[in-house]
């Protein structure tokens, strides 16, 4: 089942404009707060990276992020959960108006459409194509070809080198 790529790109573009974000790193925590979401960073011993809790009856949403994970992973998890919040408002587990979504090791496997969409949303939000294009102009093609700029850009965007490499590959800038 195909994900809604154009829709996701539009939603991310709207969020970036609404939050007046024009360069990396994207402040995903501020975006969540501006959406009315409470963000909590707590360590956990489980493999759960994060969750979205939505109480429709009281119009309250909380994103929990596993503080035990690397900061870059925490940012991706937060962006992923914002993706669920924006894209999947009426999906998920509903118990008396309450939805609960958790991100774990299965989320990254790409077998569930909603998880693929939330991952795509997170990549688009943390590494927007227009920002990357603007930054890539500053470098020689050989720097990109040989990967020498990936560590610098990953640091700037506050993402892992592998996340940036996948994003650049998906945009057609590099081959993996």
């Amino acid at each position: 089942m195909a994900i809604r790529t154009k829709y996701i790109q539009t939603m991310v573009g709207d969020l970036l404009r609404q939050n007046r974000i024009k360069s990396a790193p994207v402040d995903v925590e501020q975006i969540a707060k501006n959406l009315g979401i409470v963000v909590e960073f707590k360590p956990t011993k489980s493999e759960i990276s994060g969750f979205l809790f939505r109480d429709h009856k009281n119009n309250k949403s909380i994103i929990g992020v596993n503080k035990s994970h690397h900061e870059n992973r925490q940012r991706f998890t937060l962006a992923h959960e914002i993706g669920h919040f924006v894209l999947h408002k009426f999906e998920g587990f509903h118990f008396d108006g309450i939805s609960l979504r958790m991100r774990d090791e299965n989320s990254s496997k790409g077998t569930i459409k909603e998880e693929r969409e939330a991952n795509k949303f997170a990549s688009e939000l943390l590494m927007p194509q227009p920002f990357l294009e603007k930054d890539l102009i500053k470098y020689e093609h050989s720097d990109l070809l040989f990967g020498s700029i990936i560590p610098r850009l990953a640091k700037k965007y506050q993402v892992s080198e592998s996340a940036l490499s996948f994003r650049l590959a998906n945009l057609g800038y590099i081959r993996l």
Side-chain angles (χ1 to χ4, degrees):
M1 189 176 279
I3 64 171
R4 302 170 291 170
T5 300
K6 291 288 185 195
Y7 179 72
I8 291 167
Q9 290 168 337
T10 300
M11 297 304 290
V12 168
D14 289 348
L15 270 180
L16 294 172
R17 277 187 294 286
Q18 290 165 5
N19 288 277
R20 296 181 174 94
I21 298 171
K22 297 179 180 172
S23 64
V26 172
D27 189 344
V28 286
E29 190 170 355
Q30 188 60 51
I31 288 173
K33 289 177 183 177
N34 290 347
L35 288 169
I37 304 169
V38 174
V39 180
E40 295 186 6
F41 294 87
K42 304 265 174 141
T44 177
K45 293 178 182 172
S46 73
E47 288 303 312
I48 292 173
S49 301
F51 66 86
L52 169 62
F53 172 82
R54 182 181 280 154
D55 180 346
H56 298 288
K57 187 184 276 186
N58 295 306
N59 197 29
K60 183 176 181 178
S61 298
I62 300 169
I63 291 177
V65 179
N66 189 341
K67 191 177 173 91
S68 300
H69 290 169
H70 188 279
E71 289 176 13
N72 292 341
R73 174 81 180 268
Q74 291 177 46
R75 283 175 44 77
F76 192 89
T77 296
L78 180 52
H80 175 97
E81 297 303 338
I82 292 170
H84 281 305
F85 180 84
V86 170
L87 300 171
H88 308 130
K89 293 183 183 202
F90 302 106
E91 299 174 2
F93 304 102
H94 297 278
F95 304 102
D96 296 323
I98 295 174
S99 298
L100 180 65
R101 290 193 170 276
M102 294 188 159
R103 175 166 167 71
D104 59 18
E105 68 277 0
N106 292 319
S107 301
S108 62
K109 291 181 181 173
T111 56
I112 301 170
K113 178 186 176 197
E114 288 82 6
E115 293 304 316
R116 291 194 326 264
E117 287 185 338
N119 285 338
K120 173 73 171 165
F121 184 97
S123 293
E124 293 277 347
L125 185 61
L126 293 172
M127 300 165 280
Q129 184 173 355
F131 297 7
L132 286 170
E133 287 173 351
K134 185 177 173 185
D135 285 333
L136 290 172
I137 290 171
K138 302 172 190 174
Y139 298 99
E140 297 290 326
H141 181 69
S142 61
D143 292 334
L144 184 58
L145 185 63
F146 296 111
S148 63
I149 64 168
I150 292 193
R152 286 181 269 171
L153 285 178
K155 185 174 182 177
K156 177 180 181 175
Y157 284 77
Q158 296 178 5
V159 297
S160 69
E161 290 180 27
S162 62
L164 180 64
S165 295
F166 282 120
R167 179 75 171 133
L168 291 173
N170 286 333
L171 292 172
Y173 290 109
I174 63 172
R175 283 185 165 177
L176 292 181

